[in-house]
Amino acid sequence: MLPLIRSFRNSDLAKKVIHRIENLAGGELFRIVHVCGTHEDTITKYGIRDMLPENVGVLMGPGCPICTVPPNKIDVAIRIAEKKAILTTFGDMLRVPSGHGSLADANARGADIRVVYSIHDSVRIAERTEKQVVHFAVGFETTAPTTAAEILANPPKNFSIYSAHLLIPPAMIYLLESGESSIHGFILPGHVSTIIGSAGYCEVAERFKIPQVVAGFEPLDVLFAISMILQQSLEGRGEVENEYSRAVREKGNPKAQRMMAQVFDKVDGAWRGIGVIKNSGLALKREFEECDASKRFHIEAEEDYTMPKGCRCGEVLKAVIYPWDCPLYNSSCTPDNPIGPCMVSHEGSCYISARYGAFGKKHG
Ligand code: SF4
């Protein structure tokens, strides 16, 4: 595997691809959007934005599974934990601010909130206690199949989930329909695509005829994807291509898709800083209602929620601005003292930019 990774970090080849990108882009303005925290990490860590011509910009959209959970859902999770249940979730969720503080604040007040690495750890906790155990299930198509698998595996009666799962293609459609950000192509997320396949973006291609390329996570993967998007654009094509064929198949993972379809209904989903997006959420089907914590605890999310004062995460998540366009970036909002969710999560673009000290000079 190591020689393969090295070949995707080959600087001579990178220079050639950048030269090709310069030629393809000419003098036109291109704004390319990706929807994946790992892609953002690669782009920022390797300084890919600085290698690109000034007229080619790459922005991160709603690709952080933690940043996109709306605060009213975190409030529900807190209220569940305050009902003497054990609440489990992933580590990044703990410090994300909501209307009533964070899960970490609730923990400090005495609620039993535990960090787990997977939903399976949560089921194991339920097997060893008589208390109610609720897993706060967040994430995109990458994590939803593991939630579905546990629900289908007949978990203990004292186990339930509170679903905040969201789906990526409907969010891409929302971005294109809203027109808030001009987008000339999408770098498609490698992890999500292993589940839904390159075929999972057909609706986006059919409706919007926009170039899309599934990409891996090495620097050359991202550069190849950008050049493929520009090539499509130059040829007037708007289709889905797969740069990451070493991991992603056209049909993705049919077994994982079947489990998701068996357990979840698609419902309108709330995204932090964006709003409600049609058919972008996953709710447990009626036959699995007994595993639905919101029904078990009779708690519904309140409709309204606001972003922290001055925080522009909504625009960051909609690929309208870069993190450094926010006046609070790296001044009053830092990884040690985050104001908005994009500075809390390791997959948030503000956090990643601050971690690597990024201050963009270009605004393509
Ligand atoms: Fe929000 Fe902080 Fe990012 Fe500004 S820098 S958009 S306040 S998370």
mmCIF file of all heavy atoms in Angstrom, residues 109-146:
data_model
loop_
_atom_site.group_PDB
_atom_site.id
_atom_site.type_symbol
_atom_site.label_atom_id
_atom_site.label_comp_id
_atom_site.label_asym_id
_atom_site.label_seq_id
_atom_site.Cartn_x
_atom_site.Cartn_y
_atom_site.Cartn_z
ATOM 1 N N ARG A 109 -22.903 19.056 34.401
ATOM 2 C CA ARG A 109 -24.032 19.235 35.334
ATOM 3 C C ARG A 109 -24.496 17.900 35.909
ATOM 4 O O ARG A 109 -25.406 17.847 36.726
ATOM 5 C CB ARG A 109 -25.217 19.911 34.621
ATOM 6 C CG ARG A 109 -24.998 21.384 34.260
ATOM 7 C CD ARG A 109 -26.314 22.064 33.906
ATOM 8 N NE ARG A 109 -26.970 21.474 32.763
ATOM 9 C CZ ARG A 109 -26.796 21.873 31.487
ATOM 10 N NH1 ARG A 109 -25.978 22.876 31.220
ATOM 11 N NH2 ARG A 109 -27.435 21.271 30.507
ATOM 12 N N GLY A 110 -23.921 16.796 35.443
ATOM 13 C CA GLY A 110 -24.231 15.498 36.041
ATOM 14 C C GLY A 110 -24.889 14.504 35.103
ATOM 15 O O GLY A 110 -25.114 13.347 35.483
ATOM 16 N N ALA A 111 -25.213 14.922 33.879
ATOM 17 C CA ALA A 111 -25.795 13.969 32.929
ATOM 18 C C ALA A 111 -24.734 12.933 32.527
ATOM 19 O O ALA A 111 -23.544 13.255 32.460
ATOM 20 C CB ALA A 111 -26.296 14.713 31.692
ATOM 21 N N ASP A 112 -25.184 11.716 32.294
ATOM 22 C CA ASP A 112 -24.249 10.634 31.952
ATOM 23 C C ASP A 112 -24.105 10.553 30.429
ATOM 24 O O ASP A 112 -24.879 9.887 29.749
ATOM 25 C CB ASP A 112 -24.778 9.309 32.521
ATOM 26 C CG ASP A 112 -23.738 8.200 32.455
ATOM 27 O OD1 ASP A 112 -22.700 8.403 31.780
ATOM 28 O OD2 ASP A 112 -23.954 7.137 33.066
ATOM 29 N N ILE A 113 -23.112 11.276 29.921
ATOM 30 C CA ILE A 113 -22.887 11.325 28.469
ATOM 31 C C ILE A 113 -21.521 10.713 28.189
ATOM 32 O O ILE A 113 -20.515 11.146 28.761
ATOM 33 C CB ILE A 113 -22.973 12.776 27.951
ATOM 34 C CG1 ILE A 113 -24.377 13.322 28.221
ATOM 35 C CG2 ILE A 113 -22.642 12.840 26.456
ATOM 36 C CD1 ILE A 113 -24.559 14.796 27.931
ATOM 37 N N ARG A 114 -21.511 9.696 27.346
ATOM 38 C CA ARG A 114 -20.261 8.955 27.125
ATOM 39 C C ARG A 114 -19.862 8.987 25.655
ATOM 40 O O ARG A 114 -20.706 8.885 24.770
ATOM 41 C CB ARG A 114 -20.437 7.496 27.564
ATOM 42 C CG ARG A 114 -20.874 7.374 29.009
ATOM 43 C CD ARG A 114 -20.919 5.928 29.449
ATOM 44 N NE ARG A 114 -21.601 5.815 30.736
ATOM 45 C CZ ARG A 114 -21.792 4.673 31.382
ATOM 46 N NH1 ARG A 114 -21.340 3.543 30.859
ATOM 47 N NH2 ARG A 114 -22.424 4.660 32.545
ATOM 48 N N VAL A 115 -18.546 9.094 25.454
ATOM 49 C CA VAL A 115 -18.013 9.097 24.082
ATOM 50 C C VAL A 115 -17.760 7.654 23.648
ATOM 51 O O VAL A 115 -17.180 6.865 24.397
ATOM 52 C CB VAL A 115 -16.706 9.908 24.020
ATOM 53 C CG1 VAL A 115 -16.013 9.737 22.679
ATOM 54 C CG2 VAL A 115 -17.005 11.380 24.270
ATOM 55 N N VAL A 116 -18.222 7.318 22.464
ATOM 56 C CA VAL A 116 -17.974 5.981 21.914
ATOM 57 C C VAL A 116 -17.330 6.130 20.530
ATOM 58 O O VAL A 116 -17.445 7.175 19.893
ATOM 59 C CB VAL A 116 -19.283 5.160 21.786
ATOM 60 C CG1 VAL A 116 -19.822 4.774 23.151
ATOM 61 C CG2 VAL A 116 -20.344 5.917 20.982
ATOM 62 N N TYR A 117 -16.677 5.048 20.089
ATOM 63 C CA TYR A 117 -16.071 5.078 18.762
ATOM 64 C C TYR A 117 -17.032 4.578 17.692
ATOM 65 O O TYR A 117 -16.871 4.859 16.526
ATOM 66 C CB TYR A 117 -14.776 4.257 18.745
ATOM 67 C CG TYR A 117 -13.683 4.924 19.551
ATOM 68 C CD1 TYR A 117 -13.314 4.433 20.793
ATOM 69 C CD2 TYR A 117 -13.074 6.078 19.070
ATOM 70 C CE1 TYR A 117 -12.343 5.079 21.540
ATOM 71 C CE2 TYR A 117 -12.105 6.727 19.813
ATOM 72 C CZ TYR A 117 -11.741 6.220 21.043
ATOM 73 O OH TYR A 117 -10.787 6.863 21.784
ATOM 74 N N SER A 118 -18.020 3.794 18.124
ATOM 75 C CA SER A 118 -19.012 3.307 17.164
ATOM 76 C C SER A 118 -20.296 3.023 17.925
ATOM 77 O O SER A 118 -20.300 2.901 19.159
ATOM 78 C CB SER A 118 -18.523 2.033 16.474
ATOM 79 O OG SER A 118 -18.680 0.936 17.352
ATOM 80 N N ILE A 119 -21.374 2.889 17.183
ATOM 81 C CA ILE A 119 -22.669 2.584 17.806
ATOM 82 C C ILE A 119 -22.604 1.217 18.497
ATOM 83 O O ILE A 119 -23.313 0.978 19.476
ATOM 84 C CB ILE A 119 -23.802 2.647 16.751
ATOM 85 C CG1 ILE A 119 -25.163 2.443 17.418
ATOM 86 C CG2 ILE A 119 -23.581 1.688 15.621
ATOM 87 C CD1 ILE A 119 -26.348 2.625 16.499
ATOM 88 N N HIS A 120 -21.746 0.343 18.010
ATOM 89 C CA HIS A 120 -21.643 -0.982 18.623
ATOM 90 C C HIS A 120 -21.198 -0.869 20.082
ATOM 91 O O HIS A 120 -21.676 -1.617 20.946
ATOM 92 C CB HIS A 120 -20.680 -1.857 17.819
ATOM 93 C CG HIS A 120 -20.677 -3.278 18.282
ATOM 94 N ND1 HIS A 120 -21.790 -4.090 18.173
ATOM 95 C CD2 HIS A 120 -19.727 -4.023 18.883
ATOM 96 C CE1 HIS A 120 -21.512 -5.269 18.692
ATOM 97 N NE2 HIS A 120 -20.263 -5.249 19.128
ATOM 98 N N ASP A 121 -20.300 0.085 20.378
ATOM 99 C CA ASP A 121 -19.872 0.300 21.768
ATOM 100 C C ASP A 121 -21.082 0.676 22.636
ATOM 101 O O ASP A 121 -21.180 0.284 23.802
ATOM 102 C CB ASP A 121 -18.843 1.433 21.859
ATOM 103 C CG ASP A 121 -17.563 1.112 21.115
ATOM 104 O OD1 ASP A 121 -17.309 -0.080 20.869
ATOM 105 O OD2 ASP A 121 -16.835 2.063 20.774
ATOM 106 N N SER A 122 -21.984 1.445 22.044
ATOM 107 C CA SER A 122 -23.168 1.876 22.780
ATOM 108 C C SER A 122 -24.078 0.688 23.101
ATOM 109 O O SER A 122 -24.604 0.561 24.222
ATOM 110 C CB SER A 122 -23.918 2.921 21.926
ATOM 111 O OG SER A 122 -25.013 3.410 22.609
ATOM 112 N N VAL A 123 -24.236 -0.199 22.120
ATOM 113 C CA VAL A 123 -25.044 -1.411 22.349
ATOM 114 C C VAL A 123 -24.415 -2.251 23.464
ATOM 115 O O VAL A 123 -25.108 -2.781 24.333
ATOM 116 C CB VAL A 123 -25.173 -2.222 21.030
ATOM 117 C CG1 VAL A 123 -25.847 -3.572 21.293
ATOM 118 C CG2 VAL A 123 -25.964 -1.431 19.993
ATOM 119 N N ARG A 124 -23.085 -2.331 23.463
ATOM 120 C CA ARG A 124 -22.391 -3.100 24.510
ATOM 121 C C ARG A 124 -22.658 -2.508 25.885
ATOM 122 O O ARG A 124 -22.806 -3.234 26.870
ATOM 123 C CB ARG A 124 -20.873 -3.135 24.248
ATOM 124 C CG ARG A 124 -20.451 -3.815 22.970
ATOM 125 C CD ARG A 124 -20.809 -5.297 22.934
ATOM 126 N NE ARG A 124 -20.279 -6.022 24.078
ATOM 127 C CZ ARG A 124 -19.037 -6.497 24.154
ATOM 128 N NH1 ARG A 124 -18.203 -6.338 23.145
ATOM 129 N NH2 ARG A 124 -18.632 -7.162 25.227
ATOM 130 N N ILE A 125 -22.701 -1.166 25.966
ATOM 131 C CA ILE A 125 -23.014 -0.522 27.259
ATOM 132 C C ILE A 125 -24.426 -0.928 27.684
ATOM 133 O O ILE A 125 -24.678 -1.281 28.850
ATOM 134 C CB ILE A 125 -22.896 1.017 27.150
ATOM 135 C CG1 ILE A 125 -21.440 1.425 26.932
ATOM 136 C CG2 ILE A 125 -23.457 1.698 28.402
ATOM 137 C CD1 ILE A 125 -21.243 2.897 26.566
ATOM 138 N N ALA A 126 -25.373 -0.916 26.736
ATOM 139 C CA ALA A 126 -26.772 -1.268 27.054
ATOM 140 C C ALA A 126 -26.878 -2.704 27.553
ATOM 141 O O ALA A 126 -27.704 -3.006 28.430
ATOM 142 C CB ALA A 126 -27.637 -1.062 25.813
ATOM 143 N N GLU A 127 -26.036 -3.566 27.013
ATOM 144 C CA GLU A 127 -26.077 -4.979 27.433
ATOM 145 C C GLU A 127 -25.642 -5.155 28.887
ATOM 146 O O GLU A 127 -25.998 -6.140 29.529
ATOM 147 C CB GLU A 127 -25.151 -5.818 26.522
ATOM 148 C CG GLU A 127 -25.744 -6.059 25.133
ATOM 149 C CD GLU A 127 -24.734 -6.615 24.147
ATOM 150 O OE1 GLU A 127 -23.503 -6.654 24.485
ATOM 151 O OE2 GLU A 127 -25.152 -6.989 23.048
ATOM 152 N N ARG A 128 -24.889 -4.153 29.411
ATOM 153 C CA ARG A 128 -24.326 -4.312 30.747
ATOM 154 C C ARG A 128 -25.036 -3.470 31.797
ATOM 155 O O ARG A 128 -24.548 -3.332 32.904
ATOM 156 C CB ARG A 128 -22.837 -3.937 30.719
ATOM 157 C CG ARG A 128 -21.996 -4.853 29.874
ATOM 158 C CD ARG A 128 -20.508 -4.600 30.129
ATOM 159 N NE ARG A 128 -19.749 -4.930 28.930
ATOM 160 C CZ ARG A 128 -19.141 -4.055 28.146
ATOM 161 N NH1 ARG A 128 -19.163 -2.775 28.447
ATOM 162 N NH2 ARG A 128 -18.478 -4.451 27.090
ATOM 163 N N THR A 129 -26.155 -2.832 31.418
ATOM 164 C CA THR A 129 -26.859 -1.988 32.394
ATOM 165 C C THR A 129 -28.363 -2.157 32.242
ATOM 166 O O THR A 129 -28.830 -2.660 31.214
ATOM 167 C CB THR A 129 -26.489 -0.496 32.197
ATOM 168 O OG1 THR A 129 -27.178 0.287 33.160
ATOM 169 C CG2 THR A 129 -26.878 -0.005 30.814
ATOM 170 N N GLU A 130 -29.087 -1.755 33.273
ATOM 171 C CA GLU A 130 -30.548 -1.783 33.178
ATOM 172 C C GLU A 130 -31.071 -0.409 32.797
ATOM 173 O O GLU A 130 -32.247 -0.232 32.510
ATOM 174 C CB GLU A 130 -31.142 -2.194 34.526
ATOM 175 C CG GLU A 130 -30.566 -3.495 34.986
ATOM 176 C CD GLU A 130 -31.565 -4.392 35.644
ATOM 177 O OE1 GLU A 130 -32.383 -3.865 36.412
ATOM 178 O OE2 GLU A 130 -31.508 -5.604 35.392
ATOM 179 N N LYS A 131 -30.169 0.584 32.805
ATOM 180 C CA LYS A 131 -30.580 1.948 32.453
ATOM 181 C C LYS A 131 -30.901 2.045 30.965
ATOM 182 O O LYS A 131 -30.430 1.231 30.170
ATOM 183 C CB LYS A 131 -29.438 2.930 32.749
ATOM 184 C CG LYS A 131 -29.275 3.290 34.193
ATOM 185 C CD LYS A 131 -28.125 4.259 34.285
ATOM 186 C CE LYS A 131 -28.275 5.199 35.448
ATOM 187 N NZ LYS A 131 -27.271 6.252 35.411
ATOM 188 N N GLN A 132 -31.668 3.069 30.607
ATOM 189 C CA GLN A 132 -31.880 3.351 29.197
ATOM 190 C C GLN A 132 -30.576 3.868 28.587
ATOM 191 O O GLN A 132 -29.904 4.719 29.194
ATOM 192 C CB GLN A 132 -32.961 4.427 29.031
ATOM 193 C CG GLN A 132 -34.349 3.946 29.389
ATOM 194 C CD GLN A 132 -34.874 2.957 28.362
ATOM 195 O OE1 GLN A 132 -34.665 3.103 27.169
ATOM 196 N NE2 GLN A 132 -35.552 1.917 28.850
ATOM 197 N N VAL A 133 -30.211 3.375 27.423
ATOM 198 C CA VAL A 133 -29.016 3.844 26.716
ATOM 199 C C VAL A 133 -29.456 4.363 25.344
ATOM 200 O O VAL A 133 -30.128 3.654 24.591
ATOM 201 C CB VAL A 133 -27.971 2.718 26.540
ATOM 202 C CG1 VAL A 133 -26.771 3.220 25.734
ATOM 203 C CG2 VAL A 133 -27.520 2.195 27.897
ATOM 204 N N VAL A 134 -29.094 5.609 25.079
ATOM 205 C CA VAL A 134 -29.507 6.238 23.817
ATOM 206 C C VAL A 134 -28.255 6.651 23.040
ATOM 207 O O VAL A 134 -27.389 7.354 23.567
ATOM 208 C CB VAL A 134 -30.372 7.499 24.077
ATOM 209 C CG1 VAL A 134 -30.748 8.157 22.753
ATOM 210 C CG2 VAL A 134 -31.623 7.129 24.868
ATOM 211 N N HIS A 135 -28.180 6.210 21.796
ATOM 212 C CA HIS A 135 -27.056 6.639 20.950
ATOM 213 C C HIS A 135 -27.514 7.799 20.083
ATOM 214 O O HIS A 135 -28.514 7.692 19.361
ATOM 215 C CB HIS A 135 -26.563 5.488 20.069
ATOM 216 C CG HIS A 135 -25.387 5.863 19.227
ATOM 217 N ND1 HIS A 135 -24.164 6.225 19.769
ATOM 218 C CD2 HIS A 135 -25.238 5.975 17.885
ATOM 219 C CE1 HIS A 135 -23.319 6.524 18.801
ATOM 220 N NE2 HIS A 135 -23.952 6.404 17.644
ATOM 221 N N PHE A 136 -26.787 8.911 20.187
ATOM 222 C CA PHE A 136 -27.055 10.093 19.360
ATOM 223 C C PHE A 136 -26.377 9.825 18.016
ATOM 224 O O PHE A 136 -25.171 9.978 17.872
ATOM 225 C CB PHE A 136 -26.470 11.315 20.069
ATOM 226 C CG PHE A 136 -26.863 12.642 19.467
ATOM 227 C CD1 PHE A 136 -27.906 12.774 18.573
ATOM 228 C CD2 PHE A 136 -26.179 13.798 19.838
ATOM 229 C CE1 PHE A 136 -28.265 14.002 18.032
ATOM 230 C CE2 PHE A 136 -26.525 15.040 19.314
ATOM 231 C CZ PHE A 136 -27.568 15.125 18.408
ATOM 232 N N ALA A 137 -27.184 9.379 17.054
ATOM 233 C CA ALA A 137 -26.637 8.867 15.789
ATOM 234 C C ALA A 137 -26.498 9.993 14.776
ATOM 235 O O ALA A 137 -27.487 10.471 14.226
ATOM 236 C CB ALA A 137 -27.549 7.775 15.236
ATOM 237 N N VAL A 138 -25.258 10.427 14.562
ATOM 238 C CA VAL A 138 -25.001 11.504 13.598
ATOM 239 C C VAL A 138 -24.130 10.956 12.477
ATOM 240 O O VAL A 138 -23.491 9.917 12.619
ATOM 241 C CB VAL A 138 -24.303 12.713 14.261
ATOM 242 C CG1 VAL A 138 -25.127 13.268 15.405
ATOM 243 C CG2 VAL A 138 -22.904 12.348 14.742
ATOM 244 N N GLY A 139 -24.123 11.684 11.369
ATOM 245 C CA GLY A 139 -23.254 11.299 10.255
ATOM 246 C C GLY A 139 -24.040 11.119 8.973
ATOM 247 O O GLY A 139 -25.263 11.102 8.961
ATOM 248 N N PHE A 140 -23.270 10.988 7.901
ATOM 249 C CA PHE A 140 -23.862 10.873 6.564
ATOM 250 C C PHE A 140 -24.002 9.394 6.171
ATOM 251 O O PHE A 140 -24.035 8.527 7.039
ATOM 252 C CB PHE A 140 -22.983 11.630 5.561
ATOM 253 C CG PHE A 140 -22.814 13.092 5.902
ATOM 254 C CD1 PHE A 140 -21.551 13.659 5.977
ATOM 255 C CD2 PHE A 140 -23.920 13.897 6.145
ATOM 256 C CE1 PHE A 140 -21.391 15.002 6.281
ATOM 257 C CE2 PHE A 140 -23.765 15.245 6.442
ATOM 258 C CZ PHE A 140 -22.492 15.801 6.520
ATOM 259 N N GLU A 141 -24.028 9.144 4.889
ATOM 260 C CA GLU A 141 -24.213 7.782 4.374
ATOM 261 C C GLU A 141 -23.099 6.847 4.855
ATOM 262 O O GLU A 141 -23.255 5.625 4.820
ATOM 263 C CB GLU A 141 -24.215 7.799 2.835
ATOM 264 C CG GLU A 141 -25.440 8.429 2.207
ATOM 265 C CD GLU A 141 -25.289 9.928 1.965
ATOM 266 O OE1 GLU A 141 -24.463 10.577 2.654
ATOM 267 O OE2 GLU A 141 -26.003 10.458 1.092
ATOM 268 N N THR A 142 -21.994 7.399 5.309
ATOM 269 C CA THR A 142 -20.873 6.577 5.767
ATOM 270 C C THR A 142 -21.202 5.867 7.073
ATOM 271 O O THR A 142 -20.808 4.720 7.284
ATOM 272 C CB THR A 142 -19.626 7.465 6.005
ATOM 273 O OG1 THR A 142 -19.676 8.552 5.099
ATOM 274 C CG2 THR A 142 -18.366 6.692 5.844
ATOM 275 N N THR A 143 -21.898 6.565 7.972
ATOM 276 C CA THR A 143 -22.175 5.976 9.284
ATOM 277 C C THR A 143 -23.594 5.412 9.411
ATOM 278 O O THR A 143 -23.829 4.529 10.237
ATOM 279 C CB THR A 143 -21.964 7.003 10.415
ATOM 280 O OG1 THR A 143 -22.559 8.230 10.025
ATOM 281 C CG2 THR A 143 -20.519 7.198 10.748
ATOM 282 N N ALA A 144 -24.517 5.901 8.581
ATOM 283 C CA ALA A 144 -25.903 5.427 8.700
ATOM 284 C C ALA A 144 -26.038 3.903 8.543
ATOM 285 O O ALA A 144 -26.846 3.287 9.247
ATOM 286 C CB ALA A 144 -26.789 6.157 7.682
ATOM 287 N N PRO A 145 -25.243 3.249 7.649
ATOM 288 C CA PRO A 145 -25.391 1.789 7.551
ATOM 289 C C PRO A 145 -25.027 1.054 8.849
ATOM 290 O O PRO A 145 -25.628 0.026 9.171
ATOM 291 C CB PRO A 145 -24.405 1.404 6.428
ATOM 292 C CG PRO A 145 -24.264 2.644 5.615
ATOM 293 C CD PRO A 145 -24.346 3.770 6.602
ATOM 294 N N THR A 146 -24.056 1.597 9.620
ATOM 295 C CA THR A 146 -23.699 0.912 10.871
ATOM 296 C C THR A 146 -24.840 1.047 11.879
ATOM 297 O O THR A 146 -25.112 0.136 12.653
ATOM 298 C CB THR A 146 -22.390 1.464 11.485
ATOM 299 O OG1 THR A 146 -22.542 2.869 11.707
ATOM 300 C CG2 THR A 146 -21.211 1.239 10.587
#
